[in-house]
Amino acid sequence: MSSAEEAAGDPAARIELLRREIHSHNHAYFVEDAPAVSDEAYDELLRELRDLEAKHPELITADSPTQRVGGAPQEGFAAARHAQPMLSLDSSPREADLRAFDARLRRAAAAAGVDVEYSLEPKIDGLSVELVYGDGVLERAVTRGDGVTGEIITTGARTIRGVPLRLKDDAPVPVPATLAVRGEIYLPIEAFDDVNADLIKQGKAPFANPRNAAAGTVRQLDARLTASRPLRIFCYDVLDGGDNFTTQHALLDGLAAWGFPVNPLNARATTVDEAHSYFTDIEAGRDELPYEIDGVVIKLQDIASRDAIGTTSHHPRWAYALKFQPRKEISQVLKIVASVGRTGVVTPIALLRPVNIGGVTVSRANLHNVDDIERKDIREGDHVRVERAGDVIPQVVERVVQEGDDGARGEPFRMPRECPSCGTPLDRSGPYTICPNSLECPAQLVGRLTHFGSRGGLDIEGLGERTARQLVETGLVRTVPQLFDLTVGDVRKLEGFAERSAGKLVEAIQAARTSELARVLYGLGIPEVGSAVARTLARNFGTIESVRAASVDDLLSVDGIGQVMAEQINGYFTAPHNVEALDELLAPTRLVPRPEEASAGTTNGRDALSGQTFVFTGALERLSREEAAELVRTLGGKASGSVSAKTSWLVAGEGGGSKLSKAQDLGVRVLDEAGFVALLAGLGVEVAEPQSAA
C-alpha cells in the first residue's frame, strides 16, 4: 500500500503528505526553476490541503504552505537583535582598489599561515534579511536594520515563495537545532516594471529602483500586499549554526541542500586576475539577468581562517565588493533649487528633463554644494552628464556641450541667504550651507522627528517617517517640543490611525519623556554626535544641563572628542534658536532625561572586558543571549556568534551543542550561566534573579 493510500483515512497523515509534496514542488519551481507538475496539478494539491485544514483547524501549523498568504494588517514592526552583526562590505568600482585589497589580504593570510582562495558571488541589489529557524521550521525573519538590530518581518517573509518554511531533513549536513541564515530579498526587473505601472495608474509615486521596491514591499504592514508581489531571495551566509562548514562553497552547497535558493552564478578563483575576469564576465551579461546586481562580492574561501584575518566595526577584512561603474546619461538642467535636509544642510538640486538611466527615470540630481557647482560651472539650461552613484543616487557629473548649443547660458547659481523653508539666515561652514534652526525648521522637522524617535534615539514605536510627515504636514507638530503635547484625538486625525493605534503612539511618546540621557543626546541630532559619542557625553557630564553648559575646553577634556567635534557640539547648544527650542523641549511637562552618574575621569568598569570576546550558546535562564551580549559590549568587550581560537570565553546555557564542543576542542574557557553572572558581579554589574512562575 502506498503512503498516499495509508494517509487517505488519516487527516493528519494526509495533511503532512500534502505539505511535503507542496514544499517539494515550491522548491522545484522557485529555487531550481524546474517545475515538476503543471500549475493546475499544483493548485489542486493546494486546494485539497486548504480544505483539509479548514475541516481540521487544530492541525494548521506555521510552516504549512497555506500560511504563506498574509492575513490582516499588523499594528507595527517589533525589533530583534541578529545572531551576529550583519556587517557591510568595503567596496569600490576601481580595479586598483580590488588589487590593493588582494595584497592586504595575502599579507595578513601569510602572517596567519593561511592559503588564499576566493569565493565569487554576484552582488544582488536587494534587501538584506536574517532568517531564523528552530528545529528546521521558520521562526523569524528580520531586516538588516543597523546591522545589529532589525525589524521583524516574519509575516511578510512567509509570503516569499523562495523562503523555505520548513527545511529539508534529508540533507548530508543535518539541520542544526538553531539556524540563522542571511539572504537578499529582491524583486525581479519585470515584476518591478509591473508594480510601477500599477502604482502610476493609481496616481501614486513609483519606486525609484528594484531595491527600494523590494524593501517597500516586504515592510508592508499588510502582508497581503507583500504576497501580491513576486519577491524572490538568494541566500549566501550562515550567522548561527554553520560550525560544520569549512569553506564558503561547502556552506553554499549546504544551504542549497537544506532548501534555500542559492545563486547558480557563484564561482571560485585562486588569483585576483581570475576574480577580476569573473567580474568582467558578470558585468558583460548584467543586462540579461532577470534581477538587478550592482557588482561582485569576493570572499576568502576558507571560513575558519577568517577569524585570523579579522573585521573592522564596519566590514570584514576578508571580503570585498567590486562595484560596477555608475550608469550615465545626458540630460538638461531645467532649474536649480535649494533643498533643506534633516541635518540642516542646504543642497542645490538640479531639476532635469527626465532621462532613463539603467531602467530608472531620473528627473532630479544632486549638485552637492556651491563649490561643486562653481567647479563644474553648472547653470540652468546646461546639458549635463548624469549618473546614478551605486546605481541609486542621481548626481550631476559634468557639463557637456551638445551639437546645436548656441553658447548662450543662464546666470550662475547663487545660494539663497535665508532658509527657503523657515526664513532663518543661513550659515556657510566650509563648502556647506546650513540652516541653524535645527529644531523648528519645517523642512528639517520630518527628518528630525524620525531620528528623534528612532531606536538609537528615544525609541518611540510608531513614530516613523510616514507618521512624522503627516504630523508636520497637518500642522499638529511645528517644533520637536510639540511632539509631547499630542493627544489621542490629535493623532486620530492622521490617515491610518484608529483609537487603539493612536493611543499606542501617544503612550509611547509619553513613556519616552524619561529616556536615558544618551538616547536624548543622540536623538537631538547634534552634529558629530552618533550613539557612541552620545554615550561618552552622558557618562562624562551626567545631566543634560551639564552637557548644555559645557565649554569647548570642557568638551576637549573628554577622551575621544577633538577640536572640530567640540566646536560643533558647543555651537549646537549655544545657537539662539536651539537654546529657545531646548528650553521648551526640556520643560518638566515634556522631556526629563534620566541623568547618568558622571565618570569623573574613570572608566566606571565600562572597559573592564576590553579585548575579550564572548560567545553565547544554549538557553540562559536569568537573561537572554541578546541581553548578555549587550552587557559584554557595555563593559567594552565583544560578543561574537561563532567560536574561534580568538574567543576568550564561551558562556554555555542549556543545550550548548556544537559551539560547546568546538570551544572544548580549541581550549577556550567555558563558563556556565552562574559563572558568567559571578563574573559580572565582580565587575559591579548585578543580574536579577529569574521570577518564579505563579
Side-chain angles (χ1 to χ4, degrees):
M1 182 181 295
S2 69
S3 58
E5 291 172 329
E6 290 178 350
D10 183 350
R14 180 59 181 167
I15 284 173
E16 178 62 22
L17 188 66
L18 285 168
R19 287 175 183 164
R20 286 184 175 275
E21 189 170 355
I22 293 170
H23 281 312
S24 175
H25 290 316
N26 279 338
H27 182 79
Y29 187 93
F30 294 104
V31 178
E32 297 177 352
D33 198 23
V37 296
S38 67
D39 289 349
E40 292 78 8
Y42 176 88
D43 290 343
E44 182 58 39
L45 292 171
L46 200 56
R47 272 194 296 271
E48 183 183 355
L49 178 59
R50 285 201 186 100
D51 290 344
L52 280 171
E53 289 184 343
K55 294 175 183 176
H56 303 279
E58 73 280 3
L59 298 178
I60 297 176
T61 59
D63 64 322
S64 173
T66 63
Q67 302 306 296
R68 283 196 183 275
V69 179
Q74 304 172 73
E75 194 66 44
F77 292 110
R81 183 178 288 274
H82 300 302
Q84 61 175 284
M86 295 173 69
L87 299 177
S88 300
L89 290 174
D90 194 12
S91 64
S92 168
R94 293 182 290 273
E95 180 184 351
D97 292 337
L98 170 66
R99 293 187 178 277
F101 158 76
D102 176 71
R104 289 194 304 271
L105 179 64
R106 291 184 183 277
R107 286 195 297 270
V114 174
D115 292 331
V116 173
E117 183 185 9
Y118 289 124
S119 173
L120 310 173
E121 307 167 17
K123 188 175 182 298
I124 306 299
D125 195 15
L127 174 72
S128 196
V129 66
E130 176 190 39
L131 303 175
V132 180
Y133 292 77
D135 296 323
V137 176
L138 179 65
E139 292 183 344
R140 188 171 71 242
V142 187
T143 63
R144 180 178 179 272
D146 61 7
V148 176
T149 302
E151 292 177 322
I152 298 175
I153 54 163
T154 313
T155 304
R158 288 185 188 282
T159 71
I160 301 172
R161 298 290 182 177
V163 173
L165 301 182
R166 179 193 292 177
L167 302 182
K168 294 183 177 181
D169 53 13
D170 57 353
V173 177
V175 177
T178 299
L179 175 68
V181 170
R182 182 171 180 176
E184 201 82 5
I185 296 172
Y186 65 93
L187 188 66
I189 295 172
E190 185 176 348
F192 167 73
D193 293 337
D194 291 341
V195 167
N196 267 356
D198 187 52
L199 288 172
I200 292 170
K201 283 181 184 177
Q202 298 176 46
K204 297 179 180 179
F207 288 112
N209 50 64
R211 176 168 57 187
N212 286 1
T217 298
V218 82
R219 293 186 68 259
Q220 291 292 327
L221 291 175
D222 187 347
R224 290 171 295 193
L225 178 55
T226 309
S228 72
R229 297 174 180 170
L231 293 170
R232 296 290 183 266
I233 187 171
F234 281 128
C235 295
Y236 53 86
D237 196 9
V238 175
L239 301 175
D240 189 18
D243 294 346
N244 290 323
F245 299 121
T246 57
T247 68
Q248 179 68 18
H249 264 69
L251 182 150
L252 294 172
D253 289 343
L255 288 174
W258 287 337
F260 292 101
V262 172
N263 197 314
L265 298 178
N266 296 336
R268 61 180 70 191
T270 56
T271 68
V272 68
D273 289 333
E274 290 176 2
H276 190 263
S277 176
Y278 171 85
F279 170 84
T280 302
D281 291 343
I282 290 291
E283 186 176 32
R286 169 188 188 184
D287 291 333
E288 304 303 317
L289 295 175
Y291 47 82
E292 280 282 5
I293 61 174
D294 58 2
V296 164
V297 177
I298 299 146
K299 300 176 182 176
L300 182 66
Q301 179 77 258
D302 190 275
I303 293 175
S305 301
R306 293 174 180 175
D307 283 337
I309 306 299
T311 65
T312 70
S313 61
H314 175 262
H315 62 265
R317 292 190 174 94
W318 41 264
Y320 199 80
L322 185 59
K323 306 288 285 290
F324 297 136
Q325 291 288 345
R327 302 180 191 262
K328 301 177 182 179
E329 295 292 346
I330 293 175
S331 182
Q332 186 178 25
V333 178
L334 303 178
K335 190 175 181 61
I336 300 176
V337 299
S339 175
V340 187
R342 173 182 71 81
T343 60
V345 174
V346 183
T347 305
I349 300 293
L351 304 183
L352 304 169
R353 190 175 303 283
V355 60
N356 188 288
I357 306 179
V360 175
T361 299
V362 173
S363 59
R364 294 165 60 93
N366 199 329
L367 289 168
H368 299 297
N369 54 56
V370 174
D371 288 351
D372 191 52
I373 294 177
E374 292 176 353
R375 179 175 58 81
K376 296 173 180 175
D377 191 19
I378 305 296
R379 306 182 190 183
E380 293 181 357
D382 285 349
H383 287 91
V384 293
R385 182 168 284 108
V386 184
E387 72 176 23
R388 284 197 294 135
D391 278 350
V392 177
I393 305 168
Q395 57 184 342
V396 172
V397 179
E398 61 184 350
R399 180 172 72 92
V400 294
V401 178
Q402 292 283 86
E403 186 176 347
D405 284 352
D406 59 7
R409 302 182 63 202
E411 292 295 317
F413 174 76
R414 296 285 182 264
M415 188 68 80
R417 295 180 180 275
E418 296 180 344
C419 175
S421 178
C422 67
T424 301
L426 298 175
D427 292 340
R428 180 76 183 267
S429 177
Y432 299 104
T433 303
I434 298 171
C435 171
N437 187 15
S438 60
L439 296 179
E440 296 181 324
C441 175
Q444 299 180 56
L445 191 53
V446 173
R448 290 279 177 186
L449 288 172
T450 306
H451 182 75
F452 192 64
S454 67
R455 288 202 184 89
L458 275 65
D459 197 16
I460 302 174
E461 185 175 354
L463 185 61
E465 182 181 356
R466 180 173 178 272
T467 299
R469 189 172 300 283
Q470 287 193 75
L471 289 171
V472 174
E473 289 177 349
T474 58
L476 287 172
V477 174
R478 291 186 171 87
T479 66
V480 172
Q482 290 179 358
L483 179 69
F484 292 94
D485 301 335
L486 289 172
T487 66
V488 174
D490 292 332
V491 179
R492 281 206 61 181
K493 298 174 185 176
L494 304 180
E495 181 184 349
F497 280 88
E499 186 75 23
R500 180 170 174 237
S501 53
K504 287 184 68 174
L505 177 57
V506 171
E507 183 181 335
I509 292 171
Q510 292 306 312
R513 288 183 59 246
T514 55
S515 295
E516 302 162 4
L517 175 57
R519 287 184 173 276
V520 173
L521 293 172
Y522 174 81
L524 289 175
I526 305 165
E528 302 286 336
V529 176
S531 57
V533 175
R535 288 194 298 270
T536 298
L537 290 171
R539 288 168 178 158
N540 279 271
F541 293 97
T543 67
I544 186 68
E545 292 78 13
S546 296
V547 180
R548 292 182 69 183
S551 66
V552 171
D553 287 340
D554 292 333
L555 292 164
L556 284 172
S557 69
V558 177
D559 186 31
I561 294 183
Q563 185 70 37
V564 173
M565 187 182 293
E567 290 175 355
Q568 291 274 16
I569 296 169
N570 177 261
Y572 175 89
F573 283 113
T574 55
H577 288 95
N578 290 346
V579 170
E580 183 178 344
L582 284 168
D583 285 342
E584 290 184 32
L585 179 63
L586 298 169
T589 56
R590 286 175 172 154
L591 183 60
V592 185
R594 294 204 304 270
E596 182 164 335
E597 182 181 350
S599 65
T602 67
T603 64
N604 278 339
R606 68 179 184 273
D607 295 324
L609 296 179
S610 177
Q612 300 190 52
T613 300
F614 285 71
V615 174
F616 297 90
T617 187
L620 305 179
E621 293 183 3
R622 296 177 66 170
L623 69 176
S624 69
R625 282 157 58 176
E626 291 81 5
E627 290 169 337
E630 185 60 33
L631 283 174
V632 166
R633 296 186 189 99
T634 301
L635 294 167
K638 177 183 176 183
S640 175
S642 58
V643 176
S644 72
K646 290 193 172 184
T647 303
S648 309
W649 299 91
L650 176 79
V651 179
E654 187 72 25
S658 59
K659 289 182 182 178
L660 177 57
S661 301
K662 186 172 182 180
Q664 291 168 338
D665 291 342
L666 292 173
V668 173
R669 292 173 291 182
V670 177
L671 289 172
D672 59 12
E673 184 175 8
F676 177 64
V677 170
L679 174 65
L680 294 177
L683 300 174
V685 178
E686 298 296 333
V687 177
E689 291 283 351
Q691 295 182 349
S692 58

